[in-house]
Amino acid sequence: MHSTNLYHPDHSGNLLRSPKYIQEQVTLPPGDITTADHRPFVSAIIPCLNEEMTLAICINKIMAAFERRGIRGEVVVGDNGSTDKSVEIATSLGARVIHQPVKGYGAAISAAAQAAQGKYLIMADADDSYDWSQIDIFVDALENGADFVMGNRFAGGIEPGAMPPLHRYLGNPLLSGIARLLYHSPIRDFHCGMRAFTREAFQKISAHATGMEFASEMIINAHRADLTIREVPIKLYPDKRNRPPHLRSFRDGWRHLRLLIAHAPDKLYLIPGFTLLLLGTIGLALLAAGPIEINGHYFGIHFVALATMSTLIGLISILLGVLAKVAIAIYQPVAQSRMICWLRRAHTLEWLVFGGSALAVSGFFADLLLAFQWLFTQGSMEQSVHVVFIISTVCIAGVLMVLAGFVLQLLLDILNRLDSNSSTKGSAV
């Protein structure tokens, strides 16, 4: 279930008094937003790599927001190997610093989030481009039932100089559009860095990417886990760094794109594969006996070659798509679909091996009989070219099915072993 109700904060931290927002806001008196065991109610997560110029600004805004709202909160800084005074600044202002030796934005966020103790976790950058005093709007959305809350910079406003034109008008809209198409997501700003989630939601999301593509993986996995996702408008401001940003447009854009595509096997492999396989099979069936003419159009050997290509590419796409779905389920347990459940109980290896072997052996012997016919009867080879294409296609398809079957079984064994280990650990707990 997804909702895109938008709230409207300003940069000062005061919420605009729009009737829509006031009606939806959960009003909690100061001091009441705490947990019974005195753990933090909200954890502010900040990834950090040499942010001494702006880190104090962000932490002070967070602390002021906690005090204004009466929230028992904490600031957790995921330090990614800073060599400046960032760690000292964070510690002096009361933040906890989690050192993450693995380089990357995603690695820093994951380390800090795993160490956070709050019921709600809110993340944003340390460069003051996102207004940390706006945490109210994220807390309210979570209190209203959201599991995962995304900021939307295009709805809230982008200050001049805050986002490069390449990102604003091409990169972000293009990647967000591809993501919405592949995953049927209502999110309009797929790469906004300010977002919030419950502790349970973060565990279900279980993103593993270490780089900037971590942001995309979070949303993909949130959809897979069927979390309630909402968007809130936030404003983006020019960062206050005195150095270039860590983001590299083309490198990180490609990493986002390849993750979006690789995690969509239905759209990338299965749907195109079934379409090509169906068209190719129909073409081979129609042309098996020889050339045909339809409405004055001649269809001969060239169309047999095209049908063969379509059939084999379609079959390969389907097999790769099935393998990809199992690999994703290994990588991300929440991605286990009905197809995975069916594959695990349907003796898929046996079906692929025996079915593929039957096709391959039949095709091989049919090809052998044709070869003997040409050698000993000295008949015209042109009369059987169409049949040779079809027989060869059947033979190749059978071999592909057998080889893919063993790889599929290997992946299913790994998936079963991981599930078994998880069950054992759960029982022990």
Side-chain angles (χ1 to χ4, degrees), residues 37-358:
D37 56 2
H38 303 292
R39 287 185 298 178
F41 185 73
V42 176
S43 295
I45 306 299
I46 308 178
C48 176
L49 176 58
N50 296 327
E51 304 287 3
E52 64 180 3
M53 291 290 296
T54 54
L55 185 58
I57 299 173
C58 295
I59 295 176
N60 286 330
K61 282 187 176 183
I62 296 168
M63 295 299 188
F66 286 161
E67 183 177 358
R68 182 184 69 249
R69 186 66 185 265
I71 292 175
R72 181 188 296 276
E74 64 169 350
V75 179
V76 185
V77 175
D79 185 69
N80 216 196
S82 296
T83 55
D84 62 3
K85 297 180 181 179
S86 296
V87 173
E88 291 88 339
I89 291 171
T91 304
S92 68
L93 293 175
R96 285 198 296 133
V97 177
I98 306 300
H99 297 280
Q100 172 57 284
V102 178
K103 295 298 182 182
Y105 171 82
I109 289 288
S110 294
Q114 292 290 350
Q117 299 176 359
K119 176 183 178 181
Y120 298 145
L121 283 65
I122 303 175
M123 57 177 272
D125 295 341
D127 59 4
D128 199 36
S129 58
Y130 297 105
D131 185 7
W132 271 105
S133 63
Q134 293 182 336
I135 64 173
D136 306 69
I137 197 171
F138 289 91
V139 173
D140 289 334
L142 292 169
E143 285 289 290
N144 274 296
D147 300 309
F148 185 67
V149 185
M150 285 289 303
N152 187 329
R153 298 165 293 182
F154 296 95
I158 300 173
E159 291 286 295
M163 184 182 292
L166 179 65
H167 297 180
R168 182 172 184 175
Y169 300 109
L170 179 61
N172 205 306
L174 178 62
L175 289 174
S176 294
I178 292 172
R180 288 195 300 273
L181 176 65
L182 293 177
Y183 299 99
H184 304 288
S185 173
I187 301 300
R188 309 298 300 180
D189 187 3
F190 227 71
H191 302 99
C192 180
M194 191 168 193
R195 48 187 71 180
F197 33 87
T198 65
R199 172 181 296 279
E200 293 77 14
F202 181 74
Q203 293 170 350
K204 291 178 180 178
I205 290 170
S206 186
H208 300 292
T210 58
M212 292 290 184
E213 68 274 19
F214 178 86
S216 293
E217 188 184 4
M218 286 186 72
I219 304 177
I220 293 171
N221 291 348
H223 283 299
R224 285 174 175 158
D226 198 28
L227 300 181
T228 301
I229 306 173
R230 292 181 187 166
E231 268 191 317
V232 295
I234 62 170
K235 186 167 283 189
L236 184 69
Y237 298 86
D239 68 63
K240 298 179 177 61
R241 295 183 176 116
N242 61 351
R243 56 165 178 76
H246 298 303
L247 178 69
R248 298 293 179 265
S249 299
F250 292 101
R251 180 200 66 182
D252 291 316
W254 165 242
R255 293 178 71 166
H256 278 287
L257 180 60
R258 74 185 188 190
L259 183 139
L260 291 173
I261 294 175
H263 282 253
D266 290 347
K267 301 286 197 311
L268 180 64
Y269 299 108
L270 296 177
I271 294 175
F274 278 113
T275 303
L276 289 172
L277 180 61
L278 178 62
L279 293 176
T281 303
I282 293 173
L284 290 177
L286 291 174
L287 296 167
I292 60 175
E293 189 171 325
I294 302 176
N295 293 331
H297 297 285
Y298 178 82
F299 297 88
I301 189 63
H302 295 91
F303 287 91
V304 178
L306 288 174
T308 296
M309 182 175 65
S310 178
T311 301
L312 292 177
I313 292 177
L315 177 62
I316 292 170
S317 297
I318 292 170
L319 294 173
L320 287 176
V322 172
L323 295 176
K325 289 185 79 72
V326 180
I328 292 171
I330 293 171
Y331 180 76
Q332 176 50 254
V334 76
Q336 294 195 27
S337 62
R338 285 178 292 179
M339 177 182 284
I340 300 298
C341 297
W342 179 81
L343 290 172
R344 297 173 80 166
R345 64 172 185 266
H347 303 289
T348 315
L349 173 63
E350 289 74 17
W351 281 105
L352 286 173
V353 169
F354 291 122
S357 297

